[in-house]
């Protein structure tokens, strides 16, 4: 504060005036020393030594006053007869000429000084701009550009503090770069609201440059900080990126001397470079996001093309989307009957949360994207959860730290199947392009679901065909056993009885009856063999162990049978296993010329694994032959796999894997 109630400007002016008078007095002393030796009027020019420094340092106006004071001092105190010097018209004209000359020289000196100062300022400004422009051209990180610009603005404006701030969507402002000259350095990332007096507030309101000459009596977080740092005045300019107000650059001083009038123009020249740097950074970031998005889509599409299980596909989609958006939580959900939803895929940055889990089922309701997508069938966004919303889904979202979320529908063949939702705890929320980018993933998920449903329907159809065939074989076997076989047995017995009643004098007839009875027995044996091939009764009665031992015993090749399990399985699994072994042993005997075969059966987790190998000639076509094709259809209809390896000259190996228990179905939906 100024002393004795005088303003700082008056104090400065008084000090400069006293200095000017002191210079005049000093020159007057020199003139007094020289006047005995030099004509008086010739000494008048020495007063330019007082006028020129004042003009250069403080301007032409004070220099003109100094010129007048110089003439007065010379006229009144230097000559021996001052009154005669003043009244003499010739001398008076000389004094006038000196005064005019002194004023003109002072003005020229002041202008020269101003030109030199302006030239130096422009040089510094252009150098600063070149440094920043070079950094921008080299695609420097935005943080480095922000820091460089803030430092250059502070130095160029002779400020004590410079700061760059970014406007946030929630009405606050965040410091992204700061520079200070001896003041406490502000931490980047400090966030303020825009309540109270501040450059940031006024720039946001006006969209143009703002100058604040004082923070006296001002309230608010930024004004309070200005008081703590001793800031007395600030100047700020907006940063406009692609037509939108992005942020502000402000320079502040703790001096009583105000910023020059052109300070706003100086700062504005840097805001254009900052805007360019931000646009370039955003363009590069968008390119990276696009590349990352395409890579994620390719990875998911690869899983779809490979027919990955639904659990793995949904988990992969959730993870890819979460990492792409740098979100904390992502969920793939399926809509069920009775207005409920089931989580079928989940990803979290923390590696999982006991609050939300795959398979969890919740009622729909409340203000959340899962419910909104269900109600509208369109993408939805929630930037803030209402405090009064106590629905289960919203409560879970709050519990995992979600502040905002975006969801997109998953539609399969025209019907709403589920939703893909991504949630973030960041203050800035999710980008405006989130809905469109999510839609790219939901299309792939919908394709995968449609494919899985089609595969499931095909597998079910094949299973029904196989089951119908097995049922028909069982009925045929039962009909043969209960009908034709019993009648043949009875007929054979009747023929034997008839043979015994033939008179001894008819030996030919007796022999004929006997031969016919033997042929019936042979026919009965063949019919029994056919019946066993249709559906072995021992399989239904005793399971795979006894049935496979019977096959091994009847085989034309030596069979090494290794049974690692004696459990019973579902009828389709046991029948498929039996027929694979039967067909493999028949092929080894009839076509491969094998001398021995090996059959092994074991459980591995939830899979029944069968392996049949022989030492025959090999060369079997895995895709050819009605027998192998029928076995493949039977095995794959049960969700299993069959692999045939048959190199020429090295035998044949058939490996079959059959699921013992079906996994939980995450594709089917109860919603029509």
């Amino acid at each position: 504060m100024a002393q004795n109630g005088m303003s700082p400007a008056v104090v400065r002016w008084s000090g400069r005036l006293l200095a000017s008078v002191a210079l005049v007095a000093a020159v007057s002393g020199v003139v007094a020393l020289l006047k005995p030796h030099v004509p008086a009027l010739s000494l008048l020019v020495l007063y330019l030594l007082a006028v020129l420094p004042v003009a250069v340092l403080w301007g032409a106006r004070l220099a003109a006053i100094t010129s007048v004071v110089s003439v007065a001092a010379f006229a009144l105190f230097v000559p021996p007869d001052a009154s005669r010097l003043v009244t003499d018209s010739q001398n008076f004209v000389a004094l006038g000429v000196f005064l005019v000359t002194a004023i003109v020289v002072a003005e020229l000196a002041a202008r020269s000084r101003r030109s030199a100062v302006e030239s130096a300022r422009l040089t510094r400004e252009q150098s600063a701009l070149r440094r920043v422009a070079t950094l921008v051209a080299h695609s420097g990180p935005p943080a480095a550009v922000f820091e460089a610009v803030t430092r250059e603005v502070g130095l160029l404006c002779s400020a004590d503090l410079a700061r760059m701030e970014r406007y946030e969507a929630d009405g606050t402002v965040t410091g992204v770069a700061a520079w200070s000259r001896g003041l406490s350095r502000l931490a980047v990332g400090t966030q303020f609201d825009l309540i109270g007096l501040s450059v940031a507030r006024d720039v946001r309101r006006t969209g143009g440059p703002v100058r604040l000459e004082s923070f006296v009596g001002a309230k608010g977080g930024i004004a309070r900080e200005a008081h703590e740092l001793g800031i007395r005045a600030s100047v700020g300019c907006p940063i406009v990126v692609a037509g939108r107000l992005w942020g502000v650059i402000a320079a502040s001083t703790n001096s009583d001397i105000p910023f020059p009038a052109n300070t706003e123009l100086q700062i504005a020249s840097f805001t254009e470079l900052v805007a360019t740097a931000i646009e370039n950074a955003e363009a590069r970031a968008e390119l990276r996001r696009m590349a990352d998005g395409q890579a994620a889509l390719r990875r998911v599409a690869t899983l779809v093309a490979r027919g990955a299980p639904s659990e793995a596909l949904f988990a992969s989609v959730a993870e890819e989307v979460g990492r792409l958006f740098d979100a904390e939580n992502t969920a793939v959900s399926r809509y069920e009957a009775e207005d409920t939803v089931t989580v079928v895929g989940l990803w979290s940055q923390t590696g999982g949360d006991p609050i939300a889990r795959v398979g969890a089922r919740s009622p729909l309701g409340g203000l959340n994207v899962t419910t909104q997508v269900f109600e509208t069938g369109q993408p939805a966004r929630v930037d803030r959860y209402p405090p009064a919303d106590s629905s289960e889904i919203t409560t879970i979202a709050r519990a995992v730290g979600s502040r905002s979320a975006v969801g997109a529908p998953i539609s399969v063949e025209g019907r709403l199947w589920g939703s893909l939702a991504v949630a973030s705890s960041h203050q800035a929320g999710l980008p405006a392009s989130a809905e469109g980018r999510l839609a790219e993933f939901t299309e792939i998920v919908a394709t995968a679901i449609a494919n899985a449903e089609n595969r499931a329907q095909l597998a079910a159809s094949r299973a029904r065909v196989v089951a119908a065939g097995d049922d028909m074989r069982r009925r045929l076997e039962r009909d043969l056993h209960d009908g034709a076989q019993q009648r043949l047995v009875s007929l054979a017995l009747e023929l034997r009885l008839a043979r015994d009643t033939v008179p001894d004098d008819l030996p030919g007839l007796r022999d004929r009856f006997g031969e016919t009875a033997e042929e019936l027995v042979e026919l009965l044996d063949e019919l029994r063999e056919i019946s066993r091939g249709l559906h072995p009764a021992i399989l239904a009665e005793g399971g795979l162990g006894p049935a496979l031992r019977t096959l091994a015993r009847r085989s034309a090749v030596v069979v090494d049978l290794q049974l690692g399990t004696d459990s019973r399985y579902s009828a389709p699994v046991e029948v498929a296993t039996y027929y694979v072994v039967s067909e493999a042993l028949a092929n080894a005997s009839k076509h491969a010329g094998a001398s021995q075969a090996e059959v092994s059966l074991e459980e591995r987790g939830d899979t029944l694994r069968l392996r049949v190998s022989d030492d025959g000639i090999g060369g079997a076509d895995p895709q050819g032959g009605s027998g192998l094709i029928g076995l493949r259809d039977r095995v794959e209809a049960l969700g299993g796999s069959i692999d045939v390896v048959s190199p020429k000259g090295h035998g044949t190996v058939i490996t079959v894997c059959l699921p013992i228990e079906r996994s939980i179905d995450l594709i089917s939906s109860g919603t029509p």
Side-chain angles (χ1 to χ4, degrees):
M1 295 293 294
Q3 297 177 351
N4 300 325
M6 292 187 296
S7 68
V10 173
V11 173
R12 287 195 301 272
W13 178 260
S14 300
R16 292 171 183 177
L17 183 60
L18 290 175
S20 301
V21 172
L23 285 173
V24 171
V27 172
S28 297
V30 174
V31 170
L33 293 175
L34 294 177
K35 71 177 181 178
H37 311 288
V38 180
L41 290 176
S42 300
L43 295 175
L44 189 61
V45 72
L46 292 178
Y47 282 97
L48 290 177
L49 297 177
V51 173
L52 285 176
V54 172
V56 170
L57 292 176
W58 299 313
R61 196 166 63 173
L62 187 58
I65 296 175
T66 304
S67 300
V68 173
V69 173
S70 299
V71 170
F74 180 81
L76 297 177
F77 303 108
V78 174
D81 189 358
S83 60
R84 188 176 63 83
L85 181 63
V86 174
T87 57
D88 191 328
S89 60
Q90 184 178 2
N91 293 335
F92 184 79
V93 170
L95 290 175
V97 170
F98 169 78
L99 181 61
V100 172
T101 302
I103 293 175
V104 171
V105 169
E107 178 64 24
L108 292 175
R111 289 185 178 183
S112 176
R113 169 64 177 172
R114 286 195 299 271
S115 297
V117 170
E118 181 65 15
S119 177
R121 184 192 68 77
L122 290 175
T123 300
R124 291 196 305 273
E125 182 176 334
Q126 292 302 314
S127 297
L129 288 171
R130 279 196 300 272
R131 288 192 293 270
V132 175
T134 300
L135 187 59
V136 173
H138 289 168
S139 299
V145 175
F146 297 160
E147 183 178 351
V149 168
T150 305
R151 181 181 64 253
E152 297 292 355
V153 166
L155 293 173
L156 189 63
C157 297
S158 299
D160 295 299
L161 174 70
R163 188 167 181 173
M164 185 184 300
E165 297 170 324
R166 179 185 66 233
Y167 292 116
E168 305 293 355
D170 60 356
T172 60
V173 67
T174 301
V176 296
W179 172 89
S180 65
R181 190 198 305 270
L183 296 176
S184 300
R185 186 168 180 82
L186 299 178
V188 173
T190 306
Q191 196 168 26
F192 295 97
D193 56 38
L194 296 180
I195 299 174
L197 182 67
S198 68
V199 169
R201 184 200 67 177
D202 291 355
V203 166
R204 185 161 193 173
R205 287 180 176 177
T206 64
V210 168
R211 178 182 290 254
L212 299 179
E213 298 293 354
S214 174
F215 286 92
V216 176
K219 297 181 180 180
I222 297 178
R224 184 166 52 253
E225 181 190 61
H227 291 312
E228 294 173 354
L229 296 175
I231 299 299
R232 300 196 177 190
S234 294
V235 176
C237 290
I239 301 173
V240 179
V241 178
R244 76 180 192 277
L245 183 61
W246 182 89
V248 59
I249 301 179
S252 303
T253 180
N254 60 356
S255 171
D256 293 330
I257 302 175
F259 284 108
N262 65 342
T263 302
E264 289 87 343
L265 294 176
Q266 288 181 309
I267 297 176
S269 61
F270 285 92
T271 63
E272 297 176 359
L273 288 174
V274 173
T276 301
I278 294 171
E279 289 178 350
N280 292 343
E282 290 180 347
R284 291 193 299 271
E286 182 62 24
L287 287 176
R288 283 195 299 271
R289 284 194 295 268
M290 291 178 61
D292 293 342
Q294 292 302 314
L297 287 170
R298 281 195 301 271
R299 289 190 291 269
V300 173
T302 300
L303 287 177
V304 174
R306 291 176 178 173
S310 56
E311 301 96 322
L313 174 64
F314 296 148
S316 176
V317 169
E319 180 177 358
E320 294 289 358
V321 170
R323 295 190 184 281
L324 184 63
F325 286 94
D326 190 27
E328 283 72 24
N329 296 280
T330 312
V332 182
S333 302
R334 183 187 67 213
Y335 295 125
E336 308 285 6
E338 300 177 354
D339 293 345
T340 59
V341 63
T342 299
V343 177
V344 296
L346 194 65
W347 180 83
S348 172
Q349 278 189 352
T350 59
D353 196 308
I355 299 175
R357 67 185 188 281
V358 173
R361 190 165 182 171
S362 303
L364 292 166
L367 183 61
N368 51 76
V369 295
T370 304
T371 301
Q372 289 182 342
V373 169
F374 176 78
E375 293 174 347
T376 65
Q378 301 295 325
R381 174 184 289 263
V382 172
D383 291 319
R384 179 178 174 272
Y385 293 104
D389 187 353
S390 60
S391 64
E392 183 174 327
I393 297 176
T394 304
T395 301
I396 293 175
R398 289 198 194 98
V400 299
S402 172
R403 301 182 66 174
S404 62
V406 172
I410 301 174
S411 297
V412 180
E413 297 180 350
R415 77 180 192 279
L416 182 62
W417 181 91
S419 66
L420 173 60
V422 57
S424 173
S425 63
H426 299 318
Q427 181 72 28
L430 293 161
S433 60
E435 289 89 339
R437 294 162 68 188
L438 279 182
E440 296 176 342
F441 284 90
T442 60
E443 291 176 1
I444 293 182
V445 174
T447 300
I449 294 170
N451 292 343
E453 289 181 344
N454 291 334
R455 287 196 302 270
Q457 292 172 3
L458 178 60
S461 176
R462 293 168 67 182
R464 287 193 296 271
V465 171
V466 171
D470 289 343
D471 186 59
M472 182 181 65
R473 289 187 182 92
R474 281 192 296 269
R475 289 199 306 270
L476 183 57
E477 187 272 335
R478 185 170 58 251
D479 292 343
L480 288 174
H481 180 272
D482 297 340
Q485 292 185 56
Q486 297 300 324
R487 293 185 62 187
L488 287 174
V489 170
S490 299
L491 184 57
L493 290 175
E494 290 177 1
L495 283 174
R496 286 191 179 96
L497 291 174
R499 182 194 60 183
D500 293 340
T501 61
V502 174
D504 294 337
D505 56 351
L506 296 174
L509 183 57
R510 179 188 293 273
D511 293 340
R512 185 61 177 168
F513 273 115
E515 291 173 1
T516 302
E518 292 300 327
E519 289 179 2
L520 283 175
V521 171
E522 292 177 3
L523 178 59
L524 180 60
D525 290 339
E526 291 179 6
L527 190 58
R528 284 173 177 168
E529 195 64 31
I530 293 174
S531 177
R532 293 191 189 97
L534 290 174
H535 189 82
I538 192 173
L539 180 63
E541 296 172 0
L544 281 174
L548 296 183
R549 292 188 187 96
T550 301
L551 281 177
R553 187 169 56 252
R554 293 176 178 173
S555 175
V557 299
V558 178
V559 178
D560 179 12
L561 182 62
Q562 301 175 12
L563 297 178
T565 175
D566 57 357
S567 302
R568 293 300 303 268
Y569 306 100
S570 63
V573 170
E574 291 188 342
V575 171
T577 304
Y578 178 87
Y579 281 126
V580 169
V581 176
S582 177
E583 181 71 19
L585 293 180
N587 289 340
S589 173
K590 297 178 182 179
H591 307 296
S595 60
Q596 62 179 12
E598 180 179 320
V599 178
S600 64
L601 183 69
E602 61 179 341
E603 285 188 17
R604 290 188 178 180
D606 58 356
T607 302
L608 184 64
R609 186 177 185 275
L610 170 67
R611 184 178 185 275
V612 183
S613 62
D614 64 54
D615 60 354
I617 61 174
D621 183 4
Q623 304 299 328
S626 59
L628 285 177
I629 292 177
L631 293 179
R632 186 178 300 277
D633 290 343
R634 179 181 290 274
V635 170
E636 292 180 352
L638 299 176
S641 63
I642 181 170
D643 181 48
V644 180
V645 179
S646 185
K648 290 184 177 180
H650 294 84
T652 301
V653 178
I654 300 176
T655 304
V656 175
C657 294
L658 290 167
I660 298 173
E661 294 180 358
R662 290 284 188 176
S663 58
I664 297 175
D665 183 13
L666 295 182
I667 294 293
S668 302
S669 171
T671 302

